[in-house]
Amino acid sequence: MKHRKLIIGIIGLVLGGIVAYLIPVPQGLNHNGMVVLASLLVANVFWIFNVMPTFATGLLMMASWIILGHVQFQVAFGDFAMPTMWIIIGGLALGAAAQKTGLIKRIAFKIMSLFPANFSGQVLALLTAGTIISPLIPSDHPRNAMSAPIAQGISQALGYRDRSKGSAGLFLAAMWGFCVTESGFLSATARNYAFKGILPAKVQDTLSWGNWLLLMLPWTIIILVLGFYMLKIMFKPHDDHRVSNDFIKKQLADLGPMTSAEKITAVVILVAIVFWVFEDILHIPAAVTALVGVSILTACHVFTGKDLGSRVSWSTVLFVGSVIALGNVMQKVNLTTWLRQILQPVLGPVTNNIWLAVVIVPLLIYLLKFVVVSAISCGTLVILAFVPFFSQMAFNPALLILIVTTSVNIWLLQYMNPPFITGEAAVQNHMFTKKALAMSSSGYMILNIIGLLACVPLWQLMHLA
């Protein structure tokens, strides 16, 4: 339908107006809360049906609170000055510098040159390279756009036909390594920061860079080890044999000697990661570390003001800011208290048992992803539903963030994972079939729950559950 988005947008606004001004205010909720609830309803309609870019919807939602006189500007937009926003900006800039200099490609090809040039060896290489590179670039679209052609080159060098088992397996290994493992590292995707930002300030400290890595370590190991064997069982060609790795050597040779810009970027990012890991010991905020790193790269002419404007995804920054603001405003207008009473019969049992949560929450998200395509939008909706229960949970609310971020990253159907579509476009849809995607995603959905279950004993040992 030509005007489908316009019609849906109008319907969403009408529904919001009805909720805000025509429906009687329920007991336990004031008019300010009704208006915020109405804005959330409209935003959900816009996000689900992609009426406009997600960040624009978020900004429109925040502006409506102020225009209608129900939330002050300082409350609505105050979170843009919080450390989380500056961590995201700094992280995106560091990742952009690593891409610009060619450091990421060099790391990837260097790792691949260390593994046997056959299916099993290069699947393991792609998983390893992706896991190492993911924390360096907090955006899965550019990682997938870069890694998919690398996988295609390896597939062709190994002699695999387009859309064959071997070709599909290598593509999925690239996506698995460069995209799926991002849940194991706080800095690997902006959505991790967005989800973390919804938490109360005192709980956010639980998810420092080092703590996130530790809390997710069992999950990461299971996803990598069992994921490797799953891809091998599903897609390894019957006639797999080792060939020359001249393709990889040529790619490294084409890059030439390591430039000074690459060396500077490598040192800055390595030092930044060390400071992030030991943030609690050094008492230097992660945001400060990221911004100092960007400043050093700028002073060394590795990263410029033009790069900051063109290479940093400001739409991501704006959307994350609106998501964080929504969580805080819901509490300011007592909307969370009212929602807790409404949702208690459905979500109450889940919040009282961590073992139940790591099974039920992923299953709910898997179903929701059929409707809400964006991982960050889907995860935000789920987390906001649990916000009213944060103070009463039998486990630390930070654990909910970890459960959500691993569960939104599925690709059962092509449209369910936009970063995968980016990877697909990068290889002109020549490497896999829809059946291969569905098989691998089904496997991940099972392994994800197994990995989360494996984390629970560690979480209990750390007195978080």
Side-chain angles (χ1 to χ4, degrees):
M1 187 186 300
K2 185 177 180 181
H3 301 294
R4 174 176 171 273
K5 289 185 178 181
L6 176 61
I7 294 172
I8 292 175
I10 293 174
I11 292 174
L13 290 172
V14 170
L15 289 175
I18 292 173
V19 171
Y21 298 106
L22 296 182
I23 295 179
V25 179
Q27 185 177 2
L29 190 65
N30 57 33
H31 186 55
N32 288 344
M34 283 293 284
V35 171
V36 173
L37 179 64
S39 72
L40 178 58
L41 171 63
V42 176
N44 284 339
V45 172
F46 278 41
W47 284 332
I48 290 172
F49 294 99
N50 196 28
V51 173
M52 62 173 61
T54 52
F55 78 92
T57 296
L59 292 178
L60 180 63
M61 174 184 64
M62 298 168 69
S64 70
W65 303 334
I66 300 167
I67 293 172
L68 297 174
H70 297 283
V71 176
Q72 294 182 339
F73 182 90
Q74 292 85 346
V75 175
F77 287 87
D79 290 293
F80 279 92
M82 297 299 287
T84 297
M85 299 306 302
W86 290 102
I87 295 172
I88 295 171
I89 294 171
L92 288 170
L94 290 176
Q99 284 182 280
K100 175 188 175 183
T101 60
L103 175 65
I104 297 302
K105 278 192 175 182
R106 186 180 299 278
I107 293 173
F109 284 123
K110 185 62 180 178
I111 292 171
M112 290 169 198
S113 70
L114 303 176
F115 290 82
N118 58 8
F119 180 82
S120 298
Q122 290 306 299
V123 165
L124 189 56
L126 287 166
L127 292 175
T128 304
T131 303
I132 292 174
I133 289 172
S134 287
L136 309 182
I137 306 179
S139 179
D140 38 22
H141 284 282
R143 286 200 306 266
N144 287 5
M146 178 197 72
S147 62
I150 292 176
Q152 185 177 43
I154 295 172
S155 177
Q156 292 170 348
L158 293 174
Y160 299 151
R161 291 178 291 104
D162 287 352
R163 302 185 185 88
S164 64
K165 288 177 61 176
S167 173
L170 288 171
F171 175 85
L172 290 164
M175 298 301 100
W176 199 283
F178 285 79
C179 183
V180 174
T181 59
E182 67 187 7
S183 298
F185 307 92
L186 175 59
S187 61
T189 171
R191 76 163 181 267
N192 289 346
Y193 289 110
F195 295 163
K196 174 184 174 181
I198 300 175
L199 294 171
K202 61 181 180 180
V203 180
Q204 289 187 32
D205 293 339
T206 305
L207 295 179
S208 64
W209 202 98
N211 274 357
W212 186 296
L213 178 67
L214 178 61
L215 291 169
M216 291 299 295
L217 192 57
W219 178 90
T220 304
I221 292 172
I222 285 176
I223 288 299
L224 285 173
V225 175
L226 297 188
F228 168 72
Y229 284 106
M230 187 200 77
L231 292 173
K232 187 175 177 180
I233 292 170
M234 287 183 176
F235 301 107
K236 182 180 179 180
H238 296 299
D239 58 346
D240 183 42
H241 57 276
R242 185 168 179 169
V243 300
S244 170
N245 62 356
D246 288 343
F247 164 76
I248 299 171
K249 291 180 179 178
K250 182 179 183 304
Q251 296 299 318
L252 276 172
D254 290 344
L255 290 174
M258 194 171 186
T259 65
S260 58
E262 285 181 85
K263 294 176 182 177
I264 293 170
T265 304
V267 171
V268 168
I269 291 179
L270 180 61
V271 172
I273 290 176
V274 171
F275 273 65
W276 288 337
V277 171
F278 296 103
E279 177 183 358
D280 294 336
I281 298 175
L282 298 173
H283 301 296
I284 298 177
V288 173
T289 297
L291 294 176
V292 169
V294 174
S295 299
I296 292 173
L297 292 178
T298 303
C300 295
H301 306 291
V302 174
F303 197 72
T304 66
K306 184 178 179 181
D307 293 327
L308 188 64
S310 62
R311 292 178 177 271
V312 173
S313 176
W314 290 102
S315 61
T316 298
V317 174
L318 293 173
F319 179 62
V320 170
S322 66
V323 166
I324 294 173
L326 177 58
N328 289 334
V329 168
M330 284 176 63
Q331 297 182 61
K332 289 282 185 181
V333 298
N334 296 322
L335 181 57
T336 54
T337 303
W338 179 75
L339 284 174
R340 181 169 60 245
Q341 297 172 354
I342 301 298
L343 297 173
Q344 176 65 37
V346 179
L347 300 182
V350 177
T351 64
N352 291 328
N353 190 315
I354 186 61
W355 293 99
L356 191 62
V358 298
V359 175
I360 298 301
V361 174
L363 292 177
L364 291 174
I365 292 173
Y366 297 163
L367 292 174
L368 186 59
K369 279 287 286 185
F370 281 95
V371 180
V372 186
V373 176
S374 168
I376 193 169
S377 298
C378 179
T380 298
L381 297 181
V382 172
I383 295 170
L384 290 176
F386 281 94
V387 166
F389 299 91
F390 280 176
S391 62
Q392 299 178 354
M393 281 184 172
F395 52 88
N396 193 304
L399 302 182
L400 176 67
I401 305 304
L402 303 180
I403 297 169
V404 170
T405 195
T406 67
S407 303
V408 295
N409 202 9
I410 64 171
W411 57 97
L412 193 63
L413 301 176
Q414 278 178 286
Y415 76 89
M416 297 172 77
N417 199 314
F420 267 55
I421 297 175
T422 300
E424 172 193 7
V427 295
Q428 295 80 47
N429 194 21
H430 286 168
M431 292 195 71
F432 62 89
T433 62
K434 292 180 179 179
K435 179 181 178 181
L437 281 186
M439 288 172 56
S440 59
S441 183
S442 299
Y444 171 73
M445 291 159 74
I446 296 171
L447 294 184
N448 175 51
I449 294 177
I450 294 174
L452 291 171
L453 287 169
C455 289
V456 173
L458 173 63
W459 297 347
Q460 292 176 329
L461 187 65
M462 296 178 67
H463 304 293
L464 298 176

